[in-house]
Amino acid sequence: SSAASDVYKRQIEGRAVERRLFLFLLVLGTAYLHVLFHRIHQQNCAEVYDMERNQNYVELWGVAAGEPVFSHENHTRRFDKFPLQVERLSGQNDVPVIVASEALLRVCPVEEGQSLRIVGQLRSFNNKSGHGNRLVITVFAQSIEPGDGSYFNRILLSGALCKKPVLRRTPLGRSICDVILAVNRHYGRADYLPCIAWGQTAVQIAGMDVGERLALEGRVQSRTYTKLLESGSEERTAFEVSIMQLLDEEETEETALL
């Protein structure tokens, strides 16, 4: 009976040690997870902050210059595209291409000649088909509403210069600067958007280096040009951002809310 009692005591003590070890490991594991989650949270906050510093806001009022047609499919979601005619004060027209999900177009159907108000982002796509422009620029619609017949064209961007700005002059001596601005999206990709500045703004941007941040307000501009090919010539349309003024990055966020 004495031996049995000793065995029983050892079993009780062993279970007590196991419980203490279990509680110790539980506390240690909880502390480790707390530190791990805290570091992940800090990293995510830093990434979100960096993404939020990249502003991409487009607002266009114009008239649909064509019916929506199929554009592409992404993760089983179908997207259509259509041209939007936006008249300038000079009477010339810019005709950016609008890309919208079929789900959005079911909510607000688009017909040729319809007045529309579109809010979204300017997007870029590398065309590797060998046909048409190598860099495809479109406006990704996030909302579509009926318009009132008026015209409006504004874009707010902030990002980083990914190429050294190129300064040139027109035959009349006016300064022009070509820029490629890299603007991050929230899920890791980036859009590479061609921009053009004039006059003193062009000279100011030309003095910047690759990697420097740039915030601006402008308009989405389209222009036609003739591309010489082996088979002859082809008329194409290029899209770019015409820079109206430079902004502080805080201004692009505040202006987008107006």
Side-chain angles (χ1 to χ4, degrees):
S1 61
S2 176
S5 176
D6 291 340
V7 170
Y8 178 73
K9 287 181 180 179
R10 285 196 294 271
Q11 288 178 342
I12 295 297
E13 291 173 354
R15 289 171 185 170
V17 170
E18 289 177 355
R19 283 197 296 270
R20 287 195 293 271
L21 180 61
F22 172 78
L23 291 174
F24 173 76
L25 292 175
L26 181 63
V27 171
L28 183 63
T30 302
Y32 173 77
L33 288 175
H34 177 75
V35 172
L36 179 63
F37 288 151
H38 179 67
R39 289 180 178 177
I40 291 174
H41 176 70
Q42 285 183 319
Q43 181 179 355
N44 288 341
C45 285
E47 291 176 355
V48 169
Y49 173 74
D50 185 62
M51 292 296 183
E52 287 179 346
R53 293 177 65 202
N54 291 271
Q55 177 75 22
N56 188 339
Y57 175 88
V58 178
E59 185 173 353
L60 300 173
W61 302 358
V63 175
E67 299 285 338
V69 297
F70 177 73
S71 170
H72 65 280
E73 185 173 322
N74 185 22
H75 298 295
T76 72
R77 294 181 63 196
R78 291 172 61 88
F79 296 85
D80 290 351
K81 62 181 179 180
F82 63 92
L84 185 76
Q85 179 179 305
V86 184
E87 187 175 306
R88 303 183 194 176
L89 293 176
S90 64
Q92 290 183 293
N93 292 315
D94 293 303
V95 191
V97 176
I98 311 299
V99 173
S101 68
E102 289 190 348
L104 179 59
L105 291 172
R106 281 195 294 270
V107 176
C108 185
V110 171
E111 297 179 355
E112 185 174 1
Q114 182 181 358
S115 178
L116 299 170
R117 177 182 181 270
I118 294 173
V119 172
Q121 295 183 336
L122 198 63
R123 298 284 179 86
S124 68
F125 170 74
N126 287 323
N127 178 18
K128 300 178 181 179
S129 68
H131 303 286
N133 295 344
R134 293 179 60 185
L135 185 66
V136 178
I137 304 295
T138 59
V139 174
F140 179 75
Q142 295 171 316
S143 71
I144 301 177
E145 299 175 1
D148 59 5
S150 57
Y151 297 99
F152 184 73
N153 187 338
R154 180 177 66 166
I155 181 169
L156 301 170
L157 291 176
S158 65
L161 298 180
C162 60
K163 277 189 177 182
K164 178 65 180 175
V166 178
L167 184 65
R168 50 193 174 89
R169 295 186 182 277
T170 67
L172 297 178
R174 191 179 184 190
S175 298
I176 308 176
C177 186
D178 297 302
V179 175
I180 300 293
L181 193 66
V183 181
N184 288 333
R185 301 184 194 177
H186 284 291
Y187 47 87
R189 291 187 59 186
D191 293 293
Y192 299 91
L193 306 175
C195 306
I196 185 168
W198 301 80
Q200 190 56 42
T201 303
V203 175
Q204 181 178 349
I205 294 175
M208 300 177 68
D209 293 322
V210 174
E212 284 195 60
R213 299 193 59 79
L214 181 69
L216 61 92
E217 179 179 3
R219 60 181 173 83
V220 182
Q221 174 177 283
S222 64
R223 57 180 175 83
T224 57
Y225 67 98
T226 301
K227 176 73 173 180
L228 297 178
L229 306 171
E230 293 181 359
S231 57
S233 61
E234 179 181 273
E235 187 174 276
R236 295 183 179 179
T237 302
F239 300 95
E240 60 199 2
V241 175
S242 179
I243 300 173
M244 311 304 292
Q245 62 175 329
L246 300 184
L247 304 172
D248 293 330
E249 293 201 72
E250 291 77 9
E251 288 184 278
T252 61
E253 297 176 2
E254 293 171 0
T255 308
L257 299 175
L258 297 178

